[in-house]
Amino acid sequence: MSIVRPYGDTTGDGMVQLSFTLPVPHDKRAEGAAIQLANKMGMDPALLVHAKPMGDGFTFFVVYGRVSHLVDTGQVQVVERDFPLLSAKEVNAVIKRRLRRRLNVVGACIGTDAHTVGIDAILNVKGIAGEKGLEYYRELSVTNMGAQVSVPDLVETARREKADAVLVSQVVTQRDAHLQNTRAMSAAFREALPAGKRPLLIVGGPRFDELMAAELGVDRIFGRGTTPREVASYLVHALVGGSK
Amino acid sequence: MSIVRPYGDTTGDGMVQLSFTLPVPHDKRAEGAAIQLANKMGMDPALLVHAKPMGDGFTFFVVYGRVSHLVDTGQVQVVERDFPLLSAKEVNAVIKRRLRRRLNVVGACIGTDAHTVGIDAILNVKGIAGEKGLEYYRELSVTNMGAQVSVPDLVETARREKADAVLVSQVVTQRDAHLQNTRAMSAAFREALPAGKRPLLIVGGPRFDELMAAELGVDRIFGRGTTPREVASYLVHALVGGSK
Amino acid sequence: MAGKLDLDPRVVREARALAARAGQPVVDLARSHTTVSVERAVLRLAGVRGADQDGIPWVNRLVDAVRADVGLEHGVAVPVFHAMRATGVDDVTVLAQKAAAGAVRFGVPLKKADVTAARRMARKATGDGLRTIDRRRAERERMIKRYGDPAQRPWIYLIVATGDILEDIPQAQAAARAGADVIAVIRSTGQSLLDYVPEGATREGFAGTYATQENFRLMRAALDETSKELGRYVRLTNYASGLCMPEIAALAGLERLDMMLNDSMYGILFRDINPIRTFVDQRFSRQVHARAGIIINTGEDNYLTTADAVEAAHTVTVSQLLNEFFAHEAGLADWQLGLGHAFEINPELPESFRLELAHALLARELFPDAPLKWMPPTKHMTGDVFRGNLLDGFFNLVGALTGQGILLVGMMTEAVVTPWLSDRDIALQNVRYVLTGAGNLHEDFVPAPGGFIQRRAHAVLAEAVDLLKRIEGDTLLNAIADGTFGIMKRPADRGKGLDGVAKHAEDYYNPVTEALES
Amino acid sequence: MAGKLDLDPRVVREARALAARAGQPVVDLARSHTTVSVERAVLRLAGVRGADQDGIPWVNRLVDAVRADVGLEHGVAVPVFHAMRATGVDDVTVLAQKAAAGAVRFGVPLKKADVTAARRMARKATGDGLRTIDRRRAERERMIKRYGDPAQRPWIYLIVATGDILEDIPQAQAAARAGADVIAVIRSTGQSLLDYVPEGATREGFAGTYATQENFRLMRAALDETSKELGRYVRLTNYASGLCMPEIAALAGLERLDMMLNDSMYGILFRDINPIRTFVDQRFSRQVHARAGIIINTGEDNYLTTADAVEAAHTVTVSQLLNEFFAHEAGLADWQLGLGHAFEINPELPESFRLELAHALLARELFPDAPLKWMPPTKHMTGDVFRGNLLDGFFNLVGALTGQGILLVGMMTEAVVTPWLSDRDIALQNVRYVLTGAGNLHEDFVPAPGGFIQRRAHAVLAEAVDLLKRIEGDTLLNAIADGTFGIMKRPADRGKGLDGVAKHAEDYYNPVTEALES
Ligand code: B12
Ligand code: B12
Ligand SMILES: Cc1ncc(COP(=O)(O)O)c(C=O)c1O
Ligand SMILES: Cc1ncc(COP(=O)(O)O)c(C=O)c1O
């Protein structure tokens, strides 16, 4: 079925739960304001089930209710995996056969972001979720620059290592830090290298919207729960061209 | 200020939390569908932070994000207390002086609802939140019919007791039981008694919308956290006409 | 587990003896009375099925007809089977239909031989019913052997309550797959005051689904499928309490339900059912449960929703002791006693958690062989669902620390809605976390000798003994009339369903009681 | 509290002795080196204030100028105060400005009398700074006497992290009103790698607010107001770790901060700061904290975000012992040692909760007089905020059961956002529930002798002793290079800020160290 609605305990009931704070002291008017917001979000009826004053001028609300919006799963845009998922063996074999040299990957966590666990999960031998990281792939040559790498250093290293692909991680998202840093990074590569010479640009992190690749000037975005194999398979697909 | 927005950690950030289930198995498309719903509710960006498959064909989602809706507290409709809050002493004094007889109140939990704690909190001497219930008021004569009272029995008792006011509690709300029962009750009174002879009809319960009185054919609705004093003061206001 | 509270065995023995003495007059009452529902249960076991076009079961029409002609006091078995012989009808349902149409007259035969013949026929017919129950019980035992019991204690008990059996079924199966060991189908709000059992598959309950034989059958079949799929026998629970306890108990036995809510006083206190009616009905229904191998769940948790959980803690203990006495008297074994109690102390109260531990441990040590049913917070749950999930976690922890037998899983939306699919999932995840991470913590939980927990447990037990003494002196019926339990005052001569009670005549005959007591 | 684990005092003594032997070479290194930040801290205490139009503090410009002329190895005090005398400038900030303009040359005077005079001036100037720190400390003690300490242990520690000091202030005050005893202002992500301390009130941090003297002052003043309002002294925390530990420690002393994040290895491991640089900086900064009466918070919790909390449990213990040794050596008393550890075991792991209890109790019993800082789950928190609040509740329970000193309050949105106002409110409600309801449960929590918890604690301690032996044999610097802590490999000759380190010359002089070590 392509049209669905939220499900509380009965098909089609449309029930959802919502919570938020309004910067108003708690009184009946505040509760009305909370319901007004829920109504504007399409909840009708909106049942205000909890209101708690916090400090001087704030109130926290929990609202339950029915939304009338229909969800059309047919209209959903997703970045579907448009390449085959290969095993490490296959990845190595394809690179060896087609590229006839090791494929160079440079990874880093840029800006002031120091969250390396994510990029390490993709790059380090240790890997994640039972899959080994890219360093384990014989035909990949991995340079992991670590955390808080500046964009100029990254560009410089990519150039020096003749990087085929640059993998950047961004975890901190407050004030859209991840978007700003990614844009700065892709701009720097565009400036430093002509189109044909530019490495494939990949960013990843738990809070990215995978649909934003073009907007951010990168080739691909990987989100929550990415595994090394997916990344390796994509590299082969994008750089070496298919597994045949 | 009359225009406000939800508050996460910065004035005006508009941040809210939402959770719901969609009747679809968990995959990328399901996550996209969840974001579609959040978008339709006005969340943009909508950050899908949790997706959990449940059973075969359901997925539970938690979404955080910014809503652009403005809340206009000036436009909020509430049932403000439009009568003075009296002490028990004042209530008794006004009834004695103006009515010159005790005011008769009949209370019940109607339909199949057996939740008496709420109506008992209003009627029984014990009361709630430190306030004594209506039985404690010397000038009120209270008949508490208890739970699961049928509408005909209620009408009959109201007639027999010459009820000035009928207080009905409704706690169970599944399939709008409370609304159906209230409508049935007010219709029965309209049918049984001519306009001038009809008692004041009051309903209460934690999940009523206080704005629906007219629609349900009752004089007043009391919601979550009502106290006996509020009810007594309203009775005096509506039936005896002010405290002067 | 026993021994952490250092309870004085003499005090425990005294409490039990007092409960027996306080309960005995009620047992005597139950043994000397019958009710319309007891008689209908007999006829259901004898094979009456179905309902008329208004949905009134033929069994009701039949009992009403018998009663109109000869009263209840002889029992319906003899008049009915005598009429069978007299009319030559060989199907009791057909007899009921004829009786409803006014085509049959009932009487108690005068000739001894006629009585003996009618009794024999009744014995045979109801014996068929009891044999079906026995078969179901054997079936359960086989399936448990095949699929196995839950790996852990407490068993995880989850509620479904959509009002629609067809929505209930997939939700129950999903819950079982997610980890539930026991599924309870909550009943529609009005049912317990209906003086008949509705018929057929139903889709229109309020905050619960009607208990009908067909709904029982459908759900049990679905859970059998799921048990097979999961390799773990998933138990099914429903509610006996109400005006039709005996009949529902019979139907539960016939459809292999595994547990039934069956409290000796719940109907009196919370449904304003007449005390005598309830005491008669509960005894018969429990005898049927005993035969069916069904575990009962008592309802002491409910007292703490109307009374304060600290002040009234000892009333829970007293009620558990009474429920235990009545249950044993009706033939139930200790393993069938899911005595209830609950985590209902105001969470704002200092030491609330330790008080909960003291109360839960007291129940555990008083009833070491009973699969206690531990009920989650409800009264102090609010619309703050985040806090709700936290409270449920601490409730689960008490369950694990005190070795409760059955854990009714609390829902974060308790104060909001009947449980959503996702509420159950979140709740089960909560239980799983607590049992996995702290399931063995009881080894390290040793209340300090003479400390807060021991002192509290001793105090509650002492208050319970005092109250039992007062009840014994004044009679249980008066205690109920005075609001002793759950602050609900229920005089013995009031309440619903009293007109369905009759005192046995000399020649009262009930083939089912006869079989069950033999 | 002590004694629940039945630890062998000989093993405990051995562990401490090993930590001392493993740490001593690093202390020797720290005593024989200085860094740009140590020297800047000296000048800050001597009175240099403000920044140039690019935001570079004058103190940086001054140290850079001195270094360019004579290097760091003599310390900057003598060259600077010699230049003061020579130029007749009587305000160090003015001297810095002139130096930045290239108008001053620095040198180490050759004449003994000039050295003595410069040293005397330096001593006097920095003495003023130290006296301000002393006054602040006395002020704190007075306010604590007046307003009182929190009524309960653990102290409740809450984070604000808006990035904007003007949003932080009302949020911090709201948090204090809601029950926080300690407020920590998280720092902007980039700051710890800046080799200078930003100036002024700031509103533009990422996931935190810059640590500046003015921000310290504003927040402390706001919390003083709130302390008065609440009749309870509300403590303020910030971060020393990073490239500017010594300076930030000085500023914290000057502005009466009450606690500082200050770990001997955090900068090395998690910010890739050069090990020598960090060890030198941390020693000086801790000496300043000791003087200021500031409680340090160490960062062992971080190891468990990159390493597994069960496998690496003993690395936490080893690090705590090292942090203790370094802290004592720097003059900190036991009450100032907020040694860190965390609730980071995978909640899916069987017995996870009991393992947490074992680890937390081990820390408690190894360091009975230290106000341990107990950190909430972060790594296994997910976007499932309902589950998150539950885990935080069990974290709080471990805190209460094991007598932790400082409870960093966990947020259900850990995996989602920096805390919202409502997250803090929900989190505090959680803490309050647990402390009110189960705050004294530790009386009833007695790990079974020879049981799971004791065995686990003994095993972790044994592994810690083994690891300390290996470290002692191979040197701590090598151990760090090998990825012993948090699986982060940090060789001694790599990392940021190494070029800011200098070995003392014979005539190295530092009036602050002199005063602090006297
Ligand atoms: C571990 C951790 C730390 C560690 C980091 C250690 C290290 N060496 O990485 C320490 C303790 C040092 C730390 C510090 C801080 N942290 Co931190 N930290 C976390 C934590 C708990 C877990 C992150 C993690 O390791 N996840 C596990 C990995 C495997 O998942 P992942 O990163 O999503 O990676 C996967 C995918 O996203 C993807 N992926 C990621 N990158 C890439 C790149 C490519 C190319 C590809 C293909 C795929 C890919 O693949 C990975 C594998 O599946 C989170 C909270 C949480 N539970 O999420 C907070 C969190 C990320 N931290 C946060 C913050 C604010 C900080 C601090 C500023 C202060 C603080 N609150 O502690 C400091 C400063 C950090 C800085 N300068 O960046 C915030 C960020 C808020 C926001 N959304 O902006 C969070 C969410 C906590 C919070 N609620 O406050 N942190
Ligand atoms: C106590 C309780 C019971 C007790 C009732 C005992 C009794 N004698 O009342 C028992 C255990 C018997 C019970 C049974 C059932 N309950 Co019940 N019960 C509750 C519980 C825990 C608390 C309700 C309560 O007492 N609140 C305290 C009182 C003081 O608050 P209140 O009712 O809101 O009243 C205040 C105001 O609303 C107002 N007010 C109320 N009425 C009136 C009337 C007038 C005239 C005025 C002026 C004001 C007024 O003033 C009162 C004082 O401030 C709630 C869950 C919860 N935490 O809310 C579930 C709940 C109400 N029960 C529920 C259900 C479904 C049932 C059952 C069907 C099965 C079950 N799940 O247990 C049965 C059958 C009941 C039936 N036939 O009606 C649902 C209802 C779902 C829904 N929204 O439709 C709830 C929400 C639980 C749940 N999530 O499933 N229940
Ligand atoms: C023992 C017992 N019986 C029955 C019920 C439910 O009865 P009803 O269907 O009347 O709501 C309960 C309520 O939880 C109970 O505890
Ligand atoms: C000891 C210690 N210092 C400092 C920090 C923060 O450092 P930064 O500001 O570099 O993120 C932490 C992180 O939580 C810490 O534990």
Side-chain angles (χ1 to χ4, degrees), chain B residues 36-92:
Chain B
Q36 187 191 102
L37 176 65
N39 289 157
K40 287 193 172 174
M41 292 178 74
M43 291 171 73
D44 186 18
L47 220 62
L48 185 87
V49 302
H50 178 63
K52 170 140 194 302
M54 295 182 300
D56 276 346
F58 296 90
T59 311
F60 176 66
F61 300 96
V62 178
V63 183
Y64 276 76
R66 182 192 319 274
V67 295
S68 44
H69 308 296
L70 302 178
V71 176
D72 185 347
T73 58
Q75 297 294 311
V76 170
Q77 279 193 33
V78 288
V79 179
E80 293 279 13
R81 183 161 52 72
D82 48 3
F83 51 87
L85 204 56
L86 308 180
S87 68
K89 226 174 163 161
E90 290 167 328
V91 166
N92 286 329

Side-chain angles (χ1 to χ4, degrees), chain A residues 193-243:
Chain A
L193 295 164
K197 300 257 164 192
R198 240 177 276 149
L200 196 69
L201 298 183
I202 302 175
V203 294
R207 298 283 167 259
F208 275 107
D209 176 350
E210 298 185 352
L211 292 170
M212 288 180 76
E215 202 174 317
L216 295 177
V218 298
D219 296 291
R220 189 88 175 195
I221 297 179
F222 286 93
R224 272 182 320 138
T226 305
T227 66
R229 222 177 119 197
E230 290 171 332
V231 179
S233 303
Y234 171 70
L235 287 174
V236 165
H237 164 80
L239 291 169
V240 192
S243 63

Side-chain angles (χ1 to χ4, degrees), chain B:
Chain B
M1 208 207 323
S2 118
I3 303 286
V4 295
R5 308 184 64 191
Y7 180 102
D9 70 346
T10 312
T11 301
D13 62 17
M15 300 299 274
V16 308
Q17 172 273 334
L18 174 72
S19 77
F20 54 85
T21 297
L22 290 179
V24 293
H26 180 218
D27 58 14
K28 281 209 163 184
R29 189 158 293 279
E31 299 198 354
I35 289 178
Q36 187 191 102
L37 176 65
N39 289 157
K40 287 193 172 174
M41 292 178 74
M43 291 171 73
D44 186 18
L47 220 62
L48 185 87
V49 302
H50 178 63
K52 170 140 194 302
M54 295 182 300
D56 276 346
F58 296 90
T59 311
F60 176 66
F61 300 96
V62 178
V63 183
Y64 276 76
R66 182 192 319 274
V67 295
S68 44
H69 308 296
L70 302 178
V71 176
D72 185 347
T73 58
Q75 297 294 311
V76 170
Q77 279 193 33
V78 288
V79 179
E80 293 279 13
R81 183 161 52 72
D82 48 3
F83 51 87
L85 204 56
L86 308 180
S87 68
K89 226 174 163 161
E90 290 167 328
V91 166
N92 286 329
V94 179
I95 297 177
K96 201 160 182 180
R97 178 151 38 84
R98 299 271 206 112
L99 202 62
R100 287 152 190 270
R101 64 165 172 84
R102 292 171 86 198
L103 194 149
N104 297 319
V105 173
V106 169
C109 202
I110 62 170
T112 56
D113 200 329
H115 291 88
T116 53
V117 177
I119 184 90
D120 286 349
I122 302 297
L123 297 182
N124 289 4
V125 173
K126 192 181 160 202
I128 192 168
E131 291 184 15
K132 303 268 189 221
L134 301 191
E135 289 178 356
Y136 171 79
Y137 291 68
R138 219 179 338 99
E139 300 298 327
L140 294 179
S141 160
V142 174
T143 308
N144 184 348
M145 297 179 68
Q148 299 193 323
V149 173
S150 74
V151 168
D153 280 1
L154 177 65
V155 173
E156 187 42 43
T157 306
R159 201 198 299 261
R160 195 181 60 233
E161 300 288 336
K162 300 199 171 46
D164 298 293
V166 168
L167 272 62
V168 160
S169 181
Q170 287 287 274
V171 174
V172 174
T173 60
Q174 210 191 32
R175 295 175 195 238
D176 288 341
H178 61 315
L179 305 182
Q180 295 183 27
N181 287 337
T182 303
R183 284 202 191 92
M185 183 270 295
S186 62
F189 275 101
R190 269 197 310 279
E191 198 160 299
L193 295 164
K197 300 255 165 195
R198 240 175 276 148
L200 195 71
L201 299 182
I202 302 175
V203 294
R207 299 282 166 260
F208 275 108
D209 177 348
E210 298 185 352
L211 292 169
M212 288 180 74
E215 201 175 317
L216 296 178
V218 298
D219 297 290
R220 188 87 174 194
I221 297 178
F222 286 92
R224 271 184 319 139
T226 304
T227 68
R229 223 178 120 196
E230 290 171 332
V231 179
S233 303
Y234 171 71
L235 288 175
V236 165
H237 164 80
L239 291 170
V240 193
S243 61
K244 286 286 116 59

Side-chain angles (χ1 to χ4, degrees), chain C residues 238-291:
Chain C
N238 212 295
Y239 294 71
S241 330
L243 284 170
C244 297
M245 273 179 127
E247 292 169 270
I248 299 192
L251 299 177
L254 292 171
E255 299 301 340
R256 188 163 37 84
L257 268 65
D258 307 284
M259 294 191 184
M260 292 299 279
L261 279 271
N262 183 312
D263 189 277
S264 59
M265 303 192 278
Y266 175 86
I268 305 170
L269 301 170
F270 294 95
R271 289 296 171 268
D272 198 10
I273 295 176
N274 173 266
I276 321 281
R277 168 78 179 253
T278 292
F279 282 124
V280 178
D281 283 347
Q282 63 93 26
R283 181 169 187 269
F284 182 90
S285 66
R286 285 176 175 202
Q287 290 180 317
V288 177
H289 290 329
R291 176 75 165 236

Side-chain angles (χ1 to χ4, degrees), chain D residues 1 16 153-157 259 295-298 300 316 320-321 324 334-342 359-375 395 398-399 402-408:
Chain D
M1 178 59 51
R16 273 213 165 77
R153 278 284 185 172
W155 291 350
I156 294 167
Y157 182 114
M259 293 189 183
I295 294 172
I296 63 166
N297 297 176
T298 65
E300 283 81 0
V316 167
Q320 289 168 331
L321 288 161
E324 179 193 47
D334 279 333
W335 66 267
Q336 291 176 292
L337 304 191
L339 298 173
H341 55 153
H359 297 176
L361 205 52
L362 175 60
R364 176 70 294 166
E365 301 205 345
L366 281 179
F367 308 100
D369 302 314
L372 301 182
K373 181 168 174 209
W374 180 230
M375 302 285 290
F395 156 77
V398 172
T402 61
Q404 302 298 314
I406 304 167
L407 186 91
L408 193 141

Side-chain angles (χ1 to χ4, degrees), chain C residues 106-271:
Chain C
F106 294 96
V108 179
L110 297 171
K111 281 197 251 160
K112 185 119 197 276
D114 284 342
V115 171
T116 311
R119 286 190 178 191
R120 188 177 333 105
M121 277 179 72
R123 225 165 10 235
K124 187 177 168 312
T126 54
D128 285 350
L130 289 174
R131 260 189 306 282
T132 305
I133 289 181
D134 294 341
R135 266 205 311 282
R136 291 282 177 263
R137 180 176 181 157
E139 204 169 81
R140 178 192 303 115
E141 280 157 12
R142 256 199 326 276
M143 293 181 84
I144 292 176
K145 204 162 275 159
R146 184 166 339 134
Y147 301 137
D149 259 327
Q152 87 298 326
R153 278 283 186 172
W155 290 350
I156 294 167
Y157 182 114
L158 268 188
I159 276 173
V160 297
T162 69
D164 177 343
I165 187 70
L166 300 186
E167 294 274 350
D168 283 346
I169 286 177
Q171 294 211 9
Q173 292 182 310
R177 280 186 207 109
D181 301 311
V182 185
I183 298 290
V185 181
I186 300 296
R187 222 158 42 168
S188 178
T189 50
Q191 182 167 8
S192 46
L193 297 188
L194 300 179
D195 211 341
Y196 64 91
V197 181
E199 275 283 323
T202 70
R203 311 192 57 178
E204 278 310 324
F206 281 107
T209 305
Y210 286 100
T212 73
Q213 185 167 9
E214 179 63 5
N215 287 347
F216 287 1
R217 197 187 61 75
L218 289 169
M219 185 59 92
R220 186 59 270 173
L223 292 181
D224 281 350
E225 238 176 59
T226 310
S227 299
K228 192 168 165 188
E229 170 193 328
L230 298 175
R232 163 167 61 82
Y233 184 67
V234 180
R235 287 181 168 76
L236 174 60
T237 305
N238 212 295
Y239 294 71
S241 330
L243 284 170
C244 297
M245 273 179 127
E247 292 169 270
I248 299 192
L251 299 177
L254 292 171
E255 299 301 340
R256 188 163 37 84
L257 268 65
D258 307 284
M259 294 191 184
M260 292 299 279
L261 279 271
N262 183 312
D263 189 277
S264 59
M265 303 192 278
Y266 175 86
I268 305 170
L269 301 170
F270 294 95
R271 289 296 171 268

